[in-house]
Amino acid sequence: MTVLQTALTGLRAVRGNRLRSLLTALGILIGVGALIITVGIGLGTRTSIGSRISRLGTNLITVTPGSVTSGGVRTGLGSSTTLTMDDAAALGDRSVAPDVAGVAPVVSRNNAIMVAGPVTWTSSVTGSTPDWLLTNARYVDSGSFITNRDVRDHAHVAVLGPTTAANLFPGGNAIGSLVDIQHVPFRVIGILQPRGAQGLFNPDDLAVVPISTAQGELITGGSLTSVQRILVSADSRDAIDSATEEVDDLLLQTHRITDPAQADFTITTQASILSTLDATSTALTLLLAGVAGISLLVGGIGVMNIMLVSVTERIAEIGLRKALGARRSDILRQFLLEAAVISAVGGLLGVGLGGASTFALDRFTSLVTVFSPPVAAIGLMIAAGIGLVFGVLPALRAARLEPIVALRGS
Amino acid sequence: MTGGEHAVLHLEKVCKTYGAGETIVRALRDVDLEVRRGDFVAIIGPSGSGKSTLMNILGCLDIPTSGRYLFAGEDVMRMRDDQLAHIRNLRIGFVFQQFHLLKKLTAWRNVELPLLYRRASRRRETAMRALGMVGLDHRVDHTPNQLSGGQQQRVAIARALVTDPELILADEPTGNLDTTSTRDILAILEQLHKDGRTIVLITHDPEIASVAPRVVRISDGVLTEEAVGTAIELDGRRARAAKPRTARAPRRRAASPMIVEDAASA
Ligand SMILES: Nc1ncnc2c1ncn2[C@@H]1O[C@H](COP(=O)(O)OP(=O)(O)OP(=O)(O)O)[C@@H](O)[C@H]1O
Ligand SMILES: [Mg+2]
């Protein structure tokens, strides 16, 4: 028999036993569906991370206290106070760091209680300097941003994110109004342009105040000089590496550290965040694909199981085919292809299920998912391959049946 | 070769035993048999006498325990599995008591089966012609459960004929049929014989065996030749059967119909 004829025989057998074939294929169906959904989520996460980071501005360099070195993870990463206002001031010196366009020291706290008249709202509050706008690639929508003078004067002025403003001032009269942040009164002087929610973190829900005011009155336990991180903006995308180097050299120098491995700060660029997130999402994708793989394995065992039953049931058919001149290889191929066809049909349904779920997830949940045709094709091939692999044992059993024994089997 | 040119089947001291030791069953004992081209041989014997065992060996479905078996001059006992499959496909047509049709396939698909294993082309056409020979042109698209027992057996005979084999082996082909259908089937077999086919018919019923010019009796695995009818009649039949033998080769290639259209209703 030719492969085509054998495949047709297989298809006919599958059609003739629709319910059982479907149940057999269920494991494969779920496996391939899961594969497509999980890879879809993985790819979606990756693309959304990519677009998020390009929106953030790729020129951003972030300096955080503490370090992750070959010596191990230092405790209190990000909470130790090795970065100071002086560091920020030094980085702002164009003659020392020519590739640095802007420097914004930052302190912040989450869950700050804000009260405006009858409205109470909980949000995060950030203390920084005018360069916060530049380094974050943000813009003011109305009003103005905090100035160097506000920082120097410990002014009680605040710039609100659009979400915060809308919640605190439903009437829209935010600018010029008073808001109590952690019981400290601030006057609203500006509202930021919206950036759009990004997963769990909403960059439009915050208040920005002068860093000096925040250090003195909002951040409990902090000092007036230490900062939680320093945002540095490189002159251009191409200047990121040299700017990073300048920041590193300067901070090592001011911190009097000779061995860079002992640095008490960590420099992160968008590129490095991107690659970290990329690696994380790759790991996640692989993990999820592994789960899908296990269900495919279970599905394959199901196929083997049913094929063994099928061989036992069709002993008379096998005997007859042998009596009519089928060789072992013909029978082997027939059952192999039948298993492959069942699995491929399951795979096809799985692609349908996975595709539909991918679109549904993308549309009806906050997850970003991507349907990838190559992955669907691979899923199909894997399904058929599993049918072939797990069909071997039943097919061999069928092929080895002696014709007389098989004929008597009826 | 001992078998001679014209012997399709040649068995010499063929033994078949099942099991070993205490439970050994000697199903065939020193069986000698020669079937020539164009012969119509009935093998008759009671239940358990070894008829099916012999049929399996003749049909290359099983191998003798000892002895010598030549199929058309070739030593079957030396053949590999695939060669046996090849012989079964090309040179033998089987008709079984239980029909052994595939339930899910239509009549013509069932008849087509042997052709699939020899990579033949124009399979539908060939299958249709074979169904025509058994008078079933009007039932080609019916599945076995839409056919009567007699019709099913005719489909099975068409399947045995479709490859134009040298030997037709029928094991109790009428065992599951009523008298009318039995007559139909026997008429078809007789017609095939008249057309020069070699037929081995296995039965336990002497009446059925009587359609064959030559009858061989088997009991407890031992074969004895037995003449049916007068010697003259037998010779007459043999002479008739011998005629197409010479004209055989070109006819086989042409694969023209061997049976009159209404053979089944005869
Ligand atoms: N696979 C086997 N294992 C052991 N003994 C067997 C086997 N097949 C057949 N026999 C024995 O061999 C003997 C001949 O069996 P066989 O089937 O050839 O008889 P039969 O003439 O076809 O009988 P029936 O008319 O009932 O079909 C019987 O005694 C049977 O029990
Ligand atoms: Mg029998």
Side-chain angles (χ1 to χ4, degrees):
Chain A
M1 272 211 260
T2 65
V3 174
L4 182 70
Q5 283 160 15
T6 317
L8 285 177
T9 308
L11 255 181
R12 256 182 241 130
V14 171
R15 250 204 343 228
N17 232 327
R18 245 169 252 172
L19 180 63
R20 181 202 280 181
S21 301
L22 189 73
L23 290 176
T24 308
L26 207 57
I28 304 282
L29 190 159
I30 292 170
V32 170
L35 182 82
I36 285 171
I37 295 169
T38 52
V39 174
I41 292 173
L43 287 175
T45 311
R46 195 184 294 181
T47 42
S48 79
I49 287 170
S51 69
R52 198 181 301 175
I53 279 172
S54 67
R55 263 194 292 168
L56 277 176
T58 44
N59 299 354
L60 182 64
I61 300 164
T62 309
V63 188
T64 45
S67 65
V68 188
T69 63
S70 52
V73 182
R74 291 201 180 191
T75 51
L77 176 73
S79 65
S80 55
T81 54
T82 55
L83 291 178
T84 63
M85 292 297 286
D86 289 342
D87 290 335
L91 290 171
D93 186 346
R94 272 277 185 174
S95 63
V96 187
D99 290 307
V100 170
V103 178
V106 170
V107 295
S108 64
R109 67 171 291 166
N110 294 324
N111 304 322
I113 296 160
M114 306 181 184
V115 181
V119 186
T120 302
W121 182 249
T122 305
S123 182
S124 68
V125 58
T126 295
S128 193
T129 61
D131 274 358
W132 185 90
L133 275 185
L134 171 70
T135 51
N136 282 295
R138 297 292 297 258
Y139 302 94
V140 173
D141 191 48
S142 58
S144 58
F145 198 65
I146 51 179
T147 61
N148 281 322
R149 191 191 164 125
D150 293 331
V151 175
R152 198 172 58 234
D153 293 351
H154 298 235
H156 287 84
V157 292
V159 177
L160 302 182
T163 306
T164 321
N167 280 289
L168 283 172
F169 302 99
N173 52 343
I175 293 181
S177 303
L178 279 178
V179 57
D180 284 355
I181 302 175
Q182 294 290 108
H183 310 297
V184 181
F186 287 83
R187 185 167 301 281
V188 179
I189 58 167
I191 296 172
L192 294 169
Q193 271 184 13
R195 164 164 279 165
Q198 297 166 0
L200 294 175
F201 167 66
N202 181 358
D204 292 335
D205 187 10
L206 85 171
V208 185
V209 301
I211 189 167
S212 50
T213 322
Q215 284 165 327
E217 301 177 53
L218 296 180
I219 312 293
T220 44
S223 78
L224 280 178
T225 54
S226 68
V227 301
Q228 287 166 357
R229 61 187 176 274
I230 301 173
L231 306 178
V232 177
S233 183
D235 242 348
S236 68
R237 233 182 138 136
D238 297 333
I240 291 175
D241 284 347
S242 46
T244 306
E245 212 165 294
E246 287 160 19
V247 170
D248 198 24
D249 287 349
L250 187 75
L251 289 180
L252 285 174
Q253 210 177 313
T254 53
H255 290 200
R256 298 179 203 289
I257 294 163
T258 45
D259 178 9
Q262 298 297 314
D264 55 358
F265 56 89
T266 304
I267 300 173
T268 324
T269 61
Q270 289 296 340
S272 68
I273 292 174
L274 183 64
S275 67
T276 309
L277 287 175
D278 211 42
T280 313
S281 72
T282 304
L284 186 73
T285 305
L286 284 177
L287 179 78
L288 296 173
V291 172
I294 289 169
S295 42
L296 281 174
L297 186 78
V298 173
I301 292 168
V303 168
M304 177 159 70
N305 191 12
I306 295 297
M307 287 308 293
L308 282 172
V309 172
S310 171
V311 167
T312 311
E313 270 183 5
R314 284 154 69 190
I315 280 181
E317 175 188 336
I318 296 162
L320 174 76
R321 285 179 184 273
K322 287 201 147 190
L324 298 181
R327 288 161 304 171
R328 285 184 184 190
S329 55
D330 290 318
I331 301 294
L332 186 76
R333 207 159 48 172
Q334 178 189 339
F335 280 88
L336 273 185
L337 264 159
E338 196 172 312
V341 167
I342 288 181
S343 304
V345 167
L348 212 59
L349 295 174
V351 167
L353 175 82
S357 311
T358 309
F359 284 121
L361 281 175
D362 196 49
R363 196 162 158 151
F364 300 114
T365 71
S366 61
L367 280 171
V368 181
T369 52
V370 175
F371 177 76
S372 153
V375 170
I378 291 170
L380 264 185
M381 283 192 281
I382 290 176
I386 280 175
L388 283 178
V389 169
F390 285 91
V392 165
L393 186 74
L396 273 179
R397 185 170 283 192
R400 290 207 186 114
L401 279 173
E402 292 295 335
I404 32 161
V405 176
L407 272 177
R408 215 181 286 133
S410 64
Chain B
M1 200 155 283
T2 356
E5 286 175 67
H6 293 298
V8 177
L9 306 177
H10 177 83
L11 283 79
E12 248 177 75
K13 295 209 179 311
V14 164
C15 295
K16 181 70 187 180
T17 54
Y18 293 110
E22 298 272 291
T23 59
I24 192 163
V25 178
R26 289 156 63 77
L28 295 180
R29 304 166 195 237
D30 293 331
V31 169
D32 291 328
L33 178 68
E34 181 146 324
V35 177
R36 292 171 156 265
R37 215 172 276 288
D39 274 1
F40 185 175
V41 183
I43 296 176
I44 184 169
S47 181
S49 56
K51 301 187 297 291
S52 296
T53 305
L54 181 59
M55 141 109 175
N56 290 337
I57 285 173
L58 294 179
C60 299
L61 291 164
D62 205 358
I63 301 280
T65 312
S66 67
R68 190 164 139 85
Y69 174 28
L70 306 181
F71 187 101
E74 291 174 62
D75 191 344
V76 170
M77 291 170 76
R78 292 230 187 98
M79 288 183 190
R80 284 179 293 109
D81 219 64
D82 281 4
Q83 286 172 300
L84 291 174
H86 192 66
I87 286 203
R88 291 196 296 265
N89 181 240
L90 242 54
R91 312 174 88 165
I92 303 174
F94 289 96
V95 181
F96 303 97
Q97 177 173 357
Q98 302 89 345
F99 319 143
H100 282 310
L101 298 174
L102 296 187
K103 285 196 289 290
K104 281 173 186 154
L105 301 186
T106 60
W108 85 265
R109 286 285 186 193
N110 266 293
V111 174
E112 182 200 22
L113 278 174
L115 299 175
L116 288 174
Y117 295 111
R118 53 155 50 176
R119 298 172 195 279
S121 55
R122 317 175 102 197
R123 293 190 303 276
R124 191 180 154 92
E125 210 182 302
T126 316
M128 291 302 192
R129 202 162 46 225
L131 280 164
M133 289 174 195
V134 297
L136 275 181
D137 332 51
H138 57 300
R139 288 281 189 277
V140 293
D141 287 322
H142 288 56
T143 54
N145 59 15
Q146 295 166 333
L147 296 171
S148 73
Q151 287 171 330
Q152 288 184 52
Q153 193 61 302
R154 273 146 69 186
V155 173
I157 292 176
R159 184 181 62 196
L161 288 175
V162 77
T163 55
D164 197 13
E166 282 157 64
L167 173 69
I168 289 180
L169 265 182
D171 186 4
E172 302 268 14
T174 58
N176 283 349
L177 299 179
D178 62 16
T179 40
T180 326
S181 301
T182 297
R183 245 185 288 126
D184 287 353
I185 299 302
L186 292 179
I188 292 176
L189 290 179
E190 282 190 285
Q191 183 62 47
L192 289 172
H193 170 55
K194 277 183 199 146
D195 288 343
R197 304 254 154 196
T198 314
I199 298 172
V200 174
L201 168 66
I202 287 171
T203 179
H204 65 274
D205 184 343
E207 206 180 314
I208 287 165
S210 69
V211 300
R214 180 181 165 201
V215 176
V216 171
R217 180 167 292 277
I218 183 168
S219 74
D220 268 339
V222 179
L223 210 67
T224 43
E225 199 85 21
E226 184 172 302
V228 170
T230 66
I232 299 142
E233 189 191 342
L234 196 64
D235 283 352
R237 290 221 200 176
R238 273 212 178 152
R240 228 188 309 152
K243 252 181 230 153
R245 223 184 283 157
T246 43
R248 195 165 176 78
R251 188 196 58 74
R252 280 169 65 85
R253 249 177 251 122
S256 60
M258 288 162 283
I259 307 179
V260 287
E261 235 60 39
D262 59 347
S265 52

